[in-house]
Every structure is written in C-alpha cells, then in structure tokens.
Amino acid sequence: MHALDPLLSPARFEWGCATSSFQIEGASSADGKVPSIWDTFCSQPGRIKDASDGREACDHYHHFATDVRLIAELGFKHYRFSIAWPRITTVDHKANLAGLDFYKRLLDALDQHGITPNATLFHWDLPAHLEGGWLNRDTAYRFADYAALVAQHLGDRLPRVATLNEPWCSAFLGHDLGVFAPGGQNRAQSLVAAHHLMLAHGLGMQAWRSVQAKTSLGIVLNPELCDPLTDKPEDVKAARLAEQERNDCFLNPLFGREWPDALLQQIRELGAIRREGDLSICAQPLDFMGLNYYTRSIGKAPVSTSDATRGYTFVPPTAPKKLTDIGWEIYPEGLTRVVQNLQAQWPLPPMWITENGAADNTGLAHGAVDDGMRCDYLEAHFEQVAELIRAGVDIRGYYVWSLLDNFEWAHGYSQRFGIVHVDFQTQKRTPKRSALMLQKLLCE
Ligand code: IFM
C-alpha cells in the first residue's frame, strides 16, 4: 500500500494501536497485584491450548518504556490499553497505590512522546476474589467503585475511557461456551452475566461522571455479522438469533430497550435478576462507541442439544474462503455490512474502530517478519473504513490489534496478532513488515 485514502489522513483521522493488560503486562503478582479469573483459568489443566499463562506475557510491566518508544517510532499518536482491575485494587476493595503507579508511569511515558491514551476499564481480567464474578449482581456495584477509583487517581489524565471491552465474550464465551474464564457452561447463566455486565457499564458510567465530568465515556463492542448457510427459514432464523445474542443483548440495554423475545425465553431467571430501573441505568448517554471487527460468521439451525439451547450452530469457514492463521475468514466487506446493520437499528454515537487485525504467525527470518497476509488484511479493511466515512458514517479513528504479539486467551501464545514480533524467551521486539507499512503510511 503506497498511500492512505485522504479521508484517513492522520491530520483528520485518529490512528492508534491497541493492547490489553492481561495479554501483555505479565508481572502477575508484582507490587500487590491479586489474581484475576484468567490467572485461575490458566492454572486449570486443559484450558489453554499451549498450557501457557499470563505470568510473564510480554513483560510490558517492566518494558513499557521501550514499548511506548516503539509506538511513537511507528508513527502512532494514540494508544488503547486496558487497566488491570486486580492490579490497582486490593482484596478489601481499597486502592493499591503501587499498581496505580505503574499506570502513572505509563501515562507519563505516553505524554513524553505526545501519544494520547485511550483506556478501557475492563478487558476480562476480573479480580478472582469477587465471589460469583459476573453471576453476582454485587460485582456490578464493585465495578462502579473501581471506576470511581480510577477516575479519582487517573481520570484527569484520561480523555477517553471505555467501560467494558466486548462484554459478549465475558458473558457467553465465559459462561455458556466455557472456553474463556471462568469456564461456565450454562446458557441461562450467560444471560445473567450479560445483564450484570451491562448494569456494571451503566453504574460505572455514573460513578465515573460523578468524579470526572469531562471525560469522553463509552463502551467497546464486537458486533456480529452472521450470514445464514442457506436460504432455508430455519437457517435464516438461526443466523438472526446469533446476531441478537451478540448485538441486541448489548445494544438494546444501551438505548434503554428490552432484550428480544427470543433471548427472554432463554432466561427463566430474568425476573429474579432484573430490578426495577436497571434498564435506565444501562442506558447512560454515550459519548462514543468502539467497534471491534475481525470476521463474520455463518450460522445454521442447531444440530446438537446444547446448540438448541442457544438456537444456532456456527459453520466453520472452509475453502475457497481466505482465512487468517487462527481460522477466521478474511471478509473486509463485513465491516461495512455490520456498521450499516447497526446504524439501521440503533441511534449510534460517534464510532472508533477500536480493534481490527489478523493472526498471521509468520516467524522471524534473518531478523525480519514478512507478514504479507496481515498487510493485505489491514489494507483491505482500511479501504472499507474510508468507504464508510465517504458514505457519511461518523467513524473517527482506527486502532490496529495489536501492537505486540501477546497472550491470545485460550490459544495461549500459539496465535500472533502483533504488528511487532515478540520473542517470548528474550522479550526482544521486532517490528514486522505490517508495522513498517503503517509507519510509512502514517509518517509520510
Ligand atoms: O485478542 C483479542 C482481544 O483481547 C479482544 N478482541 C479480539 C482479539 C483477538 O482475538
């Protein structure tokens, strides 16, 4: 790619790179950090593909100064990261000043390099001591306390803050499919978790605003685009249900709307968990919405009993479709389709693409990484973003996922999403061809 579309020029459009705390920080028990549910999950045999964990990861906790310098050298003026709740609070819900200091040092380094921080309060690393996790309504109130604490200690230095990252993953991968922490497999519980996450979002927004009124506040979602395998009515219905779970379940509460009937029927406990006024708490005014987009899915009518509880079965993409190394279809036009789909249904605030990227496991050869597939993937998605803006959609920035190769959750270190290669033995960072491509585009 030789040049950016003028609509994406860094003079008028925000370019950044993204990471999350558990995936890069390491130092999992340093300076008073307490365990998160992901520390616990990683310690359970069979949970993580390569039996790895986040104890060291990219050791960003000790290498943050190098990493920030790298962000600046690559030409990014914006950096999205998450704050680790179990690093900055104690088991008795007090501030852990040593943990907070790490983020102060990180913000100082970003400031010195003229990089604007874009923080997320919760990117899945829930403190393990919160009993019942997201199944317990109390966790939503604990999140509000945590949000207020971050606002008090760091708020004046954070111009934009998202409450949650991809709550669908915490709720459904964590409590229905069982592939994410805490590993639950109970459909109704995943909906309980979804409700408590959205309540936490609303309470967190209120708590933050009571401390720091000037911060731009929002949430980051990963909306689904699910195409039916065939035109048969049962497949069309199944694909729609998959979208409702991923989209309506989160977007409806954001705008004070009830869940669709199909979801309500799956959760007999709703009466017990939903309290009067919850929906209006969830529907706090949003300053922005972050969208994470990687691929689409294909759905058909359920084939197994467990699929029947959720109403759909996903069909893995097969040849001749082009796939990334993690097996996800490369489908850039899905970004346009998913945004149009959301726009048709909800009154969206200004949007940022807060994550987009590819697992491309190309290794180091002669000191370089020629990740051509990732370059093509990114380029194709940049074109979609430019077209959306041309069509009048209010998209204000793009963050590549990810700055660094990192701990890819249940895949451990077997999937590399970084534009910068990390040697996990030596912690050496090597910018890949994709990083150099971005550097050229952003710095010209
Ligand atoms: O690595 C994750 C990230 O934590 C959340 N969004 C999707 C990425 C790739 O799976």
Side-chain angles (χ1 to χ4, degrees):
M1 188 174 197
H2 300 299
L4 286 170
D5 187 296
L7 288 173
L8 303 184
S9 147
R12 56 186 292 175
F13 185 78
E14 188 173 309
W15 283 91
C17 53
T19 62
S20 88
S21 47
F22 191 82
Q23 292 179 274
I24 66 164
E25 284 179 3
S28 66
S29 54
D31 299 330
K33 180 183 168 289
V34 295
S36 77
I37 58 170
W38 271 94
D39 292 302
T40 313
F41 193 66
C42 290
S43 71
Q44 297 166 354
R47 294 297 200 181
I48 310 297
K49 194 171 170 189
D50 56 7
S52 63
D53 55 48
R55 277 183 288 186
E56 185 173 350
C58 307
D59 199 20
H60 172 74
Y61 193 75
H62 299 110
H63 290 76
F64 73 90
T66 313
D67 293 338
V68 170
R69 206 174 317 121
L70 196 53
I71 296 170
E73 280 166 12
L74 294 178
F76 294 107
K77 296 268 185 277
H78 302 267
Y79 175 53
R80 174 174 180 247
F81 63 98
S82 72
I83 294 168
W85 184 352
R87 193 179 289 294
I88 68 152
T89 59
T90 62
V91 283
D92 50 1
H93 316 297
K94 304 258 165 44
N96 174 28
L97 297 179
L100 277 159
D101 269 354
F102 165 67
Y103 295 105
K104 289 185 181 162
R105 293 195 297 277
L106 174 65
L107 290 172
D108 287 344
L110 291 169
D111 194 39
Q112 278 154 21
H113 287 89
I115 298 165
T116 306
N118 181 345
T120 300
L121 296 178
F122 179 69
H123 196 126
W124 310 347
D125 41 0
L126 186 69
H129 60 84
L130 293 179
E131 214 163 301
W134 290 115
L135 298 180
N136 184 351
R137 184 180 173 92
D138 195 48
T139 299
Y141 293 90
R142 291 294 175 201
F143 178 77
D145 296 342
Y146 158 64
L149 189 146
V150 181
Q152 276 150 18
H153 289 268
L154 306 172
D156 57 343
R157 305 186 61 185
L158 295 172
R160 191 180 312 132
V161 171
T163 52
L164 311 177
N165 178 72
E166 301 180 1
W168 177 82
C169 297
S170 305
F172 292 96
L173 296 180
H175 292 273
D176 183 11
L177 296 172
V179 293
F180 271 20
Q185 289 183 286
N186 180 309
R187 179 68 183 175
Q189 287 186 352
S190 62
L191 288 152
V192 173
H195 177 62
H196 289 155
L197 279 151
M198 295 316 289
L199 187 63
H201 157 79
L203 292 167
M205 299 271 284
Q206 288 178 333
W208 186 288
R209 284 191 172 129
S210 70
V211 181
Q212 280 292 340
K214 62 180 197 300
T215 315
S216 174
L217 283 188
I219 187 169
V220 172
L221 300 179
N222 56 337
E224 180 89 358
L225 170 65
C226 186
D227 285 324
L229 181 65
T230 72
D231 291 341
K232 288 189 206 152
E234 58 271 31
D235 287 345
V236 173
K237 181 177 165 209
R240 180 73 199 116
L241 267 172
E243 287 191 349
Q244 286 186 334
E245 171 193 305
R246 183 91 155 239
N247 304 345
D248 304 37
C249 191
F250 301 95
L251 281 140
N252 276 10
L254 287 179
F255 298 102
R257 300 183 197 163
E258 183 52 277
W259 282 345
D261 284 347
L263 282 178
L264 289 174
Q265 281 163 21
Q266 294 179 358
I267 178 168
R268 288 181 299 278
E269 287 92 337
L270 186 69
I273 61 147
R274 172 78 60 76
R275 306 243 173 105
E276 184 78 32
D278 280 6
L279 266 185
S280 61
I281 294 175
C282 299
Q284 298 303 307
L286 287 169
D287 297 317
F288 74 92
M289 184 177 290
L291 293 188
N292 295 351
Y293 176 81
Y294 291 88
T295 189
R296 68 160 164 182
S297 36
I298 311 280
K300 66 173 185 178
V303 288
S304 68
T305 326
S306 63
D307 284 349
T309 64
R310 56 186 78 98
Y312 63 86
T313 295
F314 282 139
V315 184
T318 48
K321 296 194 172 76
K322 283 194 273 168
L323 310 180
T324 62
D325 287 343
I326 203 170
W328 298 350
E329 181 186 355
I330 301 176
Y331 188 66
E333 52 274 49
L335 176 56
T336 300
R337 288 182 55 206
V338 84
V339 169
Q340 287 170 342
N341 187 11
L342 298 189
Q343 272 204 313
Q345 297 181 68
W346 293 281
L348 303 178
M351 285 179 285
W352 272 257
I353 306 299
T354 32
E355 285 181 29
N356 176 242
D360 177 338
N361 295 334
T362 310
L364 264 176
H366 312 293
V369 180
D370 190 7
D371 57 340
M373 180 259 277
R374 178 179 290 107
C375 292
D376 293 346
Y377 177 101
L378 295 177
E379 192 178 333
H381 287 79
F382 298 166
E383 281 167 18
Q384 298 289 319
V385 177
E387 286 314 316
L388 279 164
I389 297 172
R390 216 180 306 285
V393 182
D394 190 358
I395 299 182
R396 302 193 181 176
Y398 174 100
Y399 286 69
V400 65
W401 183 269
S402 178
L403 171 67
L404 302 171
D405 289 337
N406 59 50
F407 178 79
E408 177 52 28
W409 306 111
H411 294 275
Y413 298 94
S414 68
Q415 297 297 327
R416 290 179 177 266
F417 273 89
I419 56 168
V420 172
H421 180 272
V422 177
D423 178 329
F424 293 105
Q425 304 304 317
T426 63
Q427 293 298 348
K428 183 174 182 327
R429 277 71 163 138
T430 308
K432 303 180 188 179
R433 191 174 121 200
S434 54
L436 303 176
M437 173 184 90
L438 275 157
Q439 184 184 44
K440 194 162 168 291
L441 293 171
L442 299 180
C443 297
E444 264 177 1

